[in-house]
Amino acid sequence: MNTASTPAEEPRWLTEDEQRVWRSYVHASTLLEDHMDRQLQRDAGMPHIYYGLLVKLAESPHRRLRMTELAMHAKITRSRLSHAIARLEKNGWVRREDCPSDKRGQFAVLTDQGHQTLQKAAPGHVAVVRNAMFDRLTPEQQKSLGEIMQIVAEGLQPNEAGADLPWLR
């Protein structure tokens, strides 16, 4: 079939209410990320993305994860992760270890110093999250928000092989 001769399908434009919801979401998520980033930079000397990496390592068995798995959890490219880990290594918070079963693979390991840094940063971070989000919502709103974000995340998480995913780049 010659698609050049078929008329282009009209986009499904957002309704006024959908536009309001979308813009509110973008505005709030941008402000929230900036708010958390500024607090962590000020109080712990690290951006929010680094805090998230340290948390994921702290929650992992033996405080270590393969770099590819850590990139997947952070939803970032391997290049961006490598840069972040280099900065965390420079601070003494993380070290890299070679993977014995894969010559090309590496682990990121949270050091004792990194764990202590995370423990010091966590109370301030959780206070910011609680104040910025949870203290403003009723328990019902929190439940609804969690359900909504789960639906959105599941719809955006590709499962097919060969998907264009940041951590595979």
Side-chain angles (χ1 to χ4, degrees), residues 67-76 81 157 167:
M67 293 283 283
T68 51
E69 191 174 345
L70 188 55
M72 180 187 72
H73 285 289
K75 308 291 188 256
I76 60 176
L81 176 65
Q157 181 66 52
W167 53 93

Side-chain angles (χ1 to χ4, degrees), residues 2-116:
N2 183 354
T3 57
S5 64
T6 57
E9 190 174 314
E10 182 68 23
R12 288 183 53 219
W13 298 111
L14 298 180
T15 66
E16 192 173 310
D17 284 343
E18 289 169 335
Q19 189 70 257
R20 180 185 49 74
V21 169
W22 174 247
R23 288 180 180 176
S24 292
Y25 164 77
V26 169
H27 186 71
S29 62
T30 302
L31 287 172
L32 182 60
E33 185 63 31
D34 179 66
H35 188 64
M36 291 184 299
D37 204 49
R38 283 184 289 116
Q39 177 271 322
L40 284 165
Q41 285 283 10
R42 180 186 65 242
D43 297 347
M46 73 179 87
H48 188 230
I49 186 79
Y50 292 10
Y51 180 85
L53 295 171
L54 296 180
V55 167
K56 190 62 192 166
L57 290 172
E59 293 172 345
S60 299
H62 310 290
R63 299 190 318 208
R64 67 196 302 244
L65 264 182
R66 288 208 41 164
M67 293 283 283
T68 51
E69 191 174 345
L70 188 55
M72 180 187 72
H73 285 289
K75 308 291 188 256
I76 60 176
T77 63
R78 291 181 289 193
S79 172
R80 185 171 179 205
L81 176 65
S82 184
H83 175 74
I85 294 299
R87 293 285 309 273
L88 293 169
E89 281 181 303
K90 185 177 178 185
N91 291 341
W93 299 343
V94 170
R95 73 175 180 275
R96 292 181 213 223
E97 292 179 355
D98 291 332
C99 179
S101 63
D102 179 2
K103 297 252 186 241
R104 295 180 301 155
Q106 284 192 319
F107 287 96
V109 181
L110 183 65
T111 65
D112 289 341
Q113 183 182 351
H115 193 255
Q116 291 169 357

